[in-house]
Amino acid sequence: MLPPAPSPESSSESPPVPPPAPKPAINPPSPILDDQTKNTFRALKGPPTHSFKDNLLSDTTYITSWPSSGWTNDVMTYMNLIYLAVITQRVPILPHFTPGHVQGASMLVGKIFDLPGLSEALGMPILEWHEVKDPKSTVIDTLGCWNIWQAVQENEAYPRPSVAPKDLRIDLSYTQAPSWVRLRPGGENQNHATFWSLARLGFPEGQAEAQGSDYPSAVLMCIDYLYYVSTQQHYEFGRDYSPAWRFVGTHMYWHESLLELTAQYLEEIIGSAPDGELPLWIAIHARRDDFDSYCNGQPLEECFAPLSAIARRVQEVKDELMEKHGLAVEHVIMTSDERDEAWWKDVATFGWHRIDHSITAAEHGPWYPVLIDAVIQSLASGLVGTDGSTMSLIAARRVADWQHGVTRMVKWGRPGADDH
């Protein structure tokens, strides 16, 4: 049984000396807002329509964007989208997740995350495209969209591509954004826009300054890609001030059904107490499979961190959990995309647990191995991640905020990279 968690209203800021966390905590789905209650926000005229334009309210403005990366990056993209919706006072419309690193069908955001709870925490409606437009509709809608991607980088002379608009039968026409949306206008090899420069495009004066009278829809603001967006620095999701994390990401808890499924996997590998509560654990995320491209021809055994380096970080996490919280955590769960069984045999010699995903995809769908891993990482008392992995980064932020946990990142790329 997974225990209750802090309410969505609780601050994402951890106190200087966080209280002991005797058990992993999660936020249960809120019973206050269901899909029907969500309509009391008057975000839509009613049920999904054949053309999305027939379902938008005349006194409400909206914002959307599209997935175009791996799953964790797309989650971060949606956090950015929702934060941009907050500062522009628009209603965000989230597309489905599309296959990237996960091969197979698309996945609704609301099947993974507790969107009613997020809506309650932020005090605003949050919609998914399937609620706006009938997924079975054959109507092809047109929509003007800002081309941010071409404005912030020089390597690709086209808007950031995504299959989501095609899935939704939306024909996009793009208007290139002005160069002032860039974090550092005129800088080379800089691919970030800023939140407030994009927000400027959501208001009449900014729209007129950008394109005169020729600008995309003012009612439904569309932006091609929102992963590379920040306030002050590139890739600032790992910074303690990151607004997209502090005001949105920390409130994006898991859907109840995903929590229940993950609890079954956890009980199989670490058991549970007579009262049904799970013991504490430390999670490892060792990103390996697709990181070999960054090794620049080095032998993988020299490029990737050895298990001994990971074990050293695990011990640091154990020691800090004991020192700060008085917690003795013995269970360690390894999550990894590594396919080499010889490597997994070496993992077993450290006494670390492995999740059996041999039939997970067949039983639940291709998304579920990575989803279950992500939930296990987030509910851990401590996390040892892979430096440079966004999955490790977001897992670490969840552990820090949700569990008041302890985290470390293992450096790699050369022999001895994590020596310290």
Side-chain angles (χ1 to χ4, degrees):
M1 180 179 70
L2 292 173
S7 65
E9 293 81 4
S10 62
S11 169
S12 65
E13 302 277 335
S14 298
V17 181
K23 57 188 179 182
I26 54 92
N27 184 76
S30 168
I32 298 175
L33 288 177
D34 55 20
D35 285 341
Q36 183 178 6
T37 309
K38 198 161 48 172
N39 285 334
T40 63
F41 280 114
R42 295 195 68 247
L44 296 170
K45 292 180 180 178
T49 50
H50 291 293
S51 169
F52 75 80
K53 298 175 184 179
D54 294 333
N55 210 358
L56 304 184
L57 297 171
S58 59
D59 60 353
T60 303
T61 55
Y62 305 82
I63 185 169
T64 196
S65 188
W66 314 109
S68 184
S69 191
W71 175 64
T72 300
N73 288 14
D74 287 341
V75 171
M76 296 162 72
T77 296
Y78 290 4
M79 292 176 186
N80 286 341
L81 169 60
I82 296 169
Y83 178 66
L84 189 57
V86 170
I87 64 175
T88 57
Q89 296 181 303
R90 289 172 174 266
V91 175
I93 307 177
L94 309 181
H96 50 277
F97 290 118
T98 55
H101 294 145
V102 178
Q103 299 300 313
S106 60
M107 186 69 159
L108 296 177
V109 183
K111 286 186 175 294
I112 301 173
F113 296 103
D114 173 20
L115 293 185
L118 179 60
S119 180
E120 180 191 359
L122 301 185
M124 62 184 288
I126 297 172
L127 300 173
E128 295 186 82
W129 265 105
H130 73 91
E131 298 173 289
V132 182
K133 180 174 181 177
D134 186 345
K136 297 180 181 179
S137 172
T138 58
V139 173
I140 298 177
D141 285 304
T142 58
L143 177 63
C145 198
W146 288 105
N147 171 5
I148 303 298
W149 186 236
Q150 209 168 332
V152 298
Q153 52 80 47
E154 292 80 29
N155 295 326
E156 298 178 359
Y158 44 82
R160 183 79 176 199
S162 174
V163 301
K166 182 179 179 181
D167 293 343
L168 296 166
R169 294 176 177 82
I170 297 176
D171 182 16
L172 299 177
S173 58
Y174 287 100
T175 299
Q176 184 166 329
S179 61
W180 46 253
V181 302
R182 298 180 73 158
L183 176 60
R184 296 187 177 91
E188 295 183 0
N189 300 319
Q190 309 292 342
N191 56 2
H192 277 65
T194 69
F195 283 109
W196 280 105
S197 65
L198 297 181
R200 184 175 164 189
L201 296 176
F203 295 92
E205 290 182 5
Q207 294 163 353
E209 291 163 357
Q211 288 292 332
S213 60
D214 180 23
Y215 52 80
S217 169
V219 175
L220 173 53
M221 184 181 183
C222 172
I223 298 175
D224 62 341
Y225 194 47
L226 286 173
Y227 174 71
Y228 295 103
V229 187
S230 59
T231 56
Q232 293 290 321
Q233 297 172 280
H234 294 87
Y235 304 105
E236 66 187 15
F237 253 98
R239 302 284 181 169
D240 53 4
Y241 67 85
S242 168
W245 175 259
R246 291 177 58 240
F247 295 107
V248 179
T250 193
H251 300 293
M252 284 184 67
Y253 299 103
W254 306 111
H255 191 280
E256 180 181 20
S257 62
L258 183 55
L259 289 169
E260 291 174 348
L261 179 61
T262 302
Q264 296 173 21
Y265 277 78
L266 285 167
E267 288 174 2
E268 287 180 3
I269 58 175
I270 61 176
S272 61
D275 60 3
E277 291 192 5
L278 294 164
L280 302 176
W281 69 91
I282 293 167
I284 305 170
H285 175 235
R287 177 84 173 265
R288 292 173 60 89
D289 183 53
D290 61 342
F291 268 18
D292 57 359
S293 60
Y294 298 103
C295 290
N296 300 317
Q298 289 185 82
L300 296 186
E301 62 272 15
E302 296 180 7
C303 178
F304 290 145
L307 291 174
S308 58
I310 297 174
R312 183 169 59 241
R313 292 295 192 178
V314 168
Q315 189 59 50
E316 291 174 11
V317 170
K318 287 184 176 184
D319 293 345
E320 189 170 336
L321 285 170
M322 175 58 73
E323 178 184 351
K324 287 188 173 181
H325 301 303
L327 298 177
V329 182
E330 297 303 324
H331 291 289
V332 178
I333 302 175
M334 170 65 81
T335 62
S336 178
D337 56 359
E338 179 58 66
R339 305 180 206 183
D340 183 0
E341 286 300 322
W343 182 83
W344 280 105
K345 288 181 180 179
D346 290 340
V347 168
T349 64
F350 287 84
W352 300 338
H353 301 283
R354 177 185 184 181
I355 307 159
D356 182 6
H357 281 314
S358 58
I359 60 173
T360 301
E363 286 193 342
H364 304 289
W367 287 86
Y368 281 87
V370 68
L371 294 179
I372 290 168
D373 283 1
V375 177
I376 288 174
Q377 293 160 11
S378 73
L379 301 183
S381 298
L383 176 90
V384 175
T386 301
D387 187 54
S389 165
T390 53
M391 187 171 190
S392 289
L393 169 63
I394 296 301
R397 300 231 60 171
R398 289 170 177 147
V399 168
D401 278 13
W402 299 354
Q403 319 303 336
H404 300 301
V406 175
T407 66
R408 294 288 191 278
M409 292 292 169
V410 179
K411 299 185 183 302
W412 57 282
R414 58 178 174 79
D418 199 56
D419 291 347
H420 59 285

